């Protein structure tokens, strides 16, 4: 028996396997939805079926003893071929696809089947939520709707599992990062118990903190003082202040006498965490800033030594005083702006920066000079073009507590930002042709139908498929096939109006949205123009190829749903293909 295959089978299986859902233990959340589906539909058998390459596996079921069946026996393997539709088989004995199926002729003696595809957030039908009966029957409209709603709930459970796996991976990554930080990191719960301490925390404090995990360390062998040398009471400690107030603290300085007798200055940042407004604990990060403060006091005397260090750091480092004069700039800053130190040193920032650039920084400069640390990112013009820079402004306070100026730390994150933008674009555009993808197409179709309904206009939907594209791949290779797809998409765009929309669904399948088309006769010249644009041979490196295509068009009718319009356009395209290419315009839908 031939196994039915979804058009996106490879990507569908990749996503299914990536979920890590197959062959996992039973889950009450899935079981409850299956039982509810059986109850609503009035049947004894229901299941969540996931369609693997050679089998269907049941994540949850009721009324079934089997955990899996061969895919060739699966009704759900047919249901996933139309992800947007509920498949209903009223009597399997009367359906040639299933009449001889072992699950029909033998246990569980299926006569009735209804399956709602489980469509992932990426648009792949991973399986189906199905209900089964041993007697012929038909679902009512409310039962069909309920089954589809429950299928979406199952899809949301699957998506939650995906996100949970991602969170677990992120948690592992973050723990690895925290363990490798040079800053100390402590996490305490609301009862002040120590939940986590990284190695740097033990090193900075000079204490074996791992021995205190799960309890409140007491007594504290360290001596803590305020920066004015007064004792630091427990209620004034940064972690305790955050736990009580629920507010984050940044840049809190304390003095510490370690068990080995050394006095150190630590800078603390705290951030409470919790849910629903209830503080459940606090994350404390701290670093030893003793040397940094000593260095700042002797900044003028040690500038040459400091420059030797900062000039070899792949980041911008600068210092601005309270009059907004640039007193220090490392080599990275000079390279970024393409100017000499003599042009910049001791000059006010409005003279150093271009007006638009200064305007973008003005708010953050004022905040830093008011004692508020700032971190922000901006696109900035550099000598080699636009770069995305992440800036940190860290205020410097003198011994009296007044802000003397602020330090500027900046890193070039252009590549990471470009990657983020590229990933965002790839979620809605086809990587090969640059055209909108399936997800983008369905969004555009829904909006276009709403516009047509609102303005009383009409639109046409087209499905277009290359004839013999598989032969091109087989004879010339997929690299040539990719070039053909790119040229096909380019010509298709060139043949359309600026107001029209073209997308690549998958493989050699393309769709068109033609708005402001009022009558069928307007489609014929448009279709002819599109196909005429494909007529000249495709000129590829060292190769000329004739490429032909089949085009199906359907003019949306008043009250016609998106799904109905898609079916008519798709059927018209296949009619054109059966006729040997060209185009076919779908007849209006039959109305009762």
């Amino acid at each position: 028996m031939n196994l039915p295959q979804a058009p996106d089978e490879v990507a569908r299986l990749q996503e299914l396997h990536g979920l890590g859902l197959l062959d996992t233990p039973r889950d009450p959340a899935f079981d409850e939805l299956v039982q509810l589906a059986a109850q609503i539909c009035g049947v004894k058998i229901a299941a969540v079926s996931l369609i693997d390459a050679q089998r269907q596996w049941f994540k949850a079921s009721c009324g079934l003893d089997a955990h899996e069946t061969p895919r060739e026996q699966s009704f759900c393997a047919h249901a996933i071929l139309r992800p947007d539709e509920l498949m209903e088989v009223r009597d399997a004995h009367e359906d040639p696809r299933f009449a001889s199926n072992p699950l029909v002729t033998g246990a569980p003696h299926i006569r009735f089947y209804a399956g709602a595809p489980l469509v992932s957030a990426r648009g792949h039908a991973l399986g189906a939520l199905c209900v089964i009966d041993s007697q012929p029957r038909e679902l009512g409209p409310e039962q069909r709707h309920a089954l589809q709603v429950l299928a979406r709930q199952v899809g949301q459970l699957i998506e939650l599992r995906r996100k949970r796996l991602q969170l677990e991976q992120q948690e592992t990554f973050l723990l690895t990062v925290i363990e490798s930080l040079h800053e100390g990191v402590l996490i305490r719960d609301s009862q002040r118990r120590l939940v986590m301490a990284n190695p740097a925390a033990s090193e900075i404090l000079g204490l074996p903190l791992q021995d205190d995990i799960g309890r409140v360390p007491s007594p504290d062998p360290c001596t803590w003082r305020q920066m004015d040398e007064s004792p630091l009471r427990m209620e004034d400690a940064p972690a305790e202040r955050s736990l009580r107030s629920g507010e984050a603290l940044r840049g809190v300085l304390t003095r510490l006498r370690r068990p080995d007798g050394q006095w150190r200055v630590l800078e603390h940042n705290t951030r409470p965490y919790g849910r629903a407004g209830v503080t459940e604990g606090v994350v404390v990060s701290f670093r030893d800033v003793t040397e940094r403060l000593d260095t700042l006091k002797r900044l003028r005397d040690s500038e040459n030594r400091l420059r030797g260090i900062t000039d070899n750091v792949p980041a911008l480092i600068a210092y601005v005083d309270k009059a907004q004069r640039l007193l220090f700039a490392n080599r990275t800053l000079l390279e970024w702006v393409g100017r000499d130190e003599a042009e910049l040193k001791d000059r006010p920032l409005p003279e150093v920066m271009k007006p638009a650039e200064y305007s973008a920084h003005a708010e953050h400069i004022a905040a830093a000079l008011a004692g508020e640390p700032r971190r922000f990112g901006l696109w900035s013009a550099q000598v080699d073009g636009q770069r995305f820079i992440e800036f940190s402004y860290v205020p410097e306070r003198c011994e009296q507590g007044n802000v003397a100026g602020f330090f500027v730390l900046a890193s070039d994150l252009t590549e990471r930002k470009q990657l983020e933008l590229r990933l965002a674009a790839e979620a809605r555009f086809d990587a090969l042709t640059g055209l909108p993808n399936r997800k983008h197409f369905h969004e555009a179709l829904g909006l276009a139908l709403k516009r047509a309904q609102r303005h009383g206009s009409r639109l046409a939907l087209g499905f277009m498929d290359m004839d013999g594209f598989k032969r091109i791949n087989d004879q010339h290779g997929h690299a040539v096939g990719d070039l053909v797809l790119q040229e096909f998409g380019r010509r298709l765009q060139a043949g359309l109006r600026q107001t029209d929309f073209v997308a690549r669904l998958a493989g050699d399948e393309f769709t068109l949205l033609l708005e402001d088309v009022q009558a069928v006769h307007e489609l014929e010249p448009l279709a002819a123009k599109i196909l005429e644009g494909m007529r000249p041979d495709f000129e590829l490196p060292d190769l000329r190829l004739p490429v032909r295509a089949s085009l199906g068009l359907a003019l949306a009718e008043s009250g016609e749903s998106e799904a109905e319009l898609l079916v008519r356009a798709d059927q018209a395209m296949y009619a054109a293909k059966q006729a040997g290419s060209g185009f076919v315009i779908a007849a209006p839908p039959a109305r009762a």
Side-chain angles (χ1 to χ4, degrees), residues 320-326 347-350 352 358 362 365-366 369 406:
V320 178
D321 70 6
K322 61 183 180 181
Q324 297 192 32
R325 293 176 301 176
L326 182 65
R347 301 286 294 277
L349 289 184
V352 172
Y358 180 78
I365 293 171
L369 291 176
F406 62 93

Side-chain angles (χ1 to χ4, degrees), residues 8-9 27 29 80 84 105 114 148 157 252 292 306 328 368-369 404 415 434 465 471 494 505 514 518 536 547 581:
D8 58 349
E9 183 68 8
D27 187 325
I80 67 172
D84 299 326
T105 59
Q148 289 175 314
L157 283 178
V252 178
R292 191 192 73 178
L306 180 61
F328 178 83
L369 291 176
E415 292 183 0
D465 197 331
R471 184 173 63 254
L505 294 189
L514 310 175
Q518 300 302 321
V547 175
S581 78

Side-chain angles (χ1 to χ4, degrees), residues 7 90 107 273 303 318 356 396:
R90 296 176 178 83
Y273 64 89
E303 184 173 353
E396 181 205 11

Side-chain angles (χ1 to χ4, degrees), residues 4-8 12 75-88 97 113 115-119 123-128 148 438 463 563-564 566-568 570-571 574:
Q5 298 283 320
D8 58 349
R12 190 190 71 80
F75 282 57
C76 295
H78 292 266
I80 67 172
L81 300 181
R82 293 185 178 273
D84 299 326
E85 301 177 14
L86 183 145
M87 188 180 96
E88 186 172 0
R97 295 174 296 174
Y113 168 91
L118 305 175
V119 182
H124 303 305
L126 306 177
Q148 289 175 314
R438 180 185 297 272
F463 272 67
E564 292 170 338
L566 286 166
V567 169
R568 287 203 301 121
D570 190 43
Q571 290 173 345
Y574 278 105

Side-chain angles (χ1 to χ4, degrees), residues 149-164:
V149 170
L150 290 175
R152 288 195 290 270
Q153 291 296 318
V154 173
Q156 290 175 6
L157 283 178
I158 292 174
E159 185 63 19
L160 285 174
R161 178 184 174 84
R162 182 207 307 278
K163 291 180 178 178
R164 186 173 70 246

Side-chain angles (χ1 to χ4, degrees), residues 5-26:
Q5 298 283 320
D8 58 349
E9 183 68 8
V10 173
R12 190 190 71 80
L13 288 174
Q14 286 178 343
E15 181 175 8
L16 176 61
H17 294 160
L19 288 171
L21 198 58
L22 294 171
D23 301 311
T24 55
R26 296 184 72 92

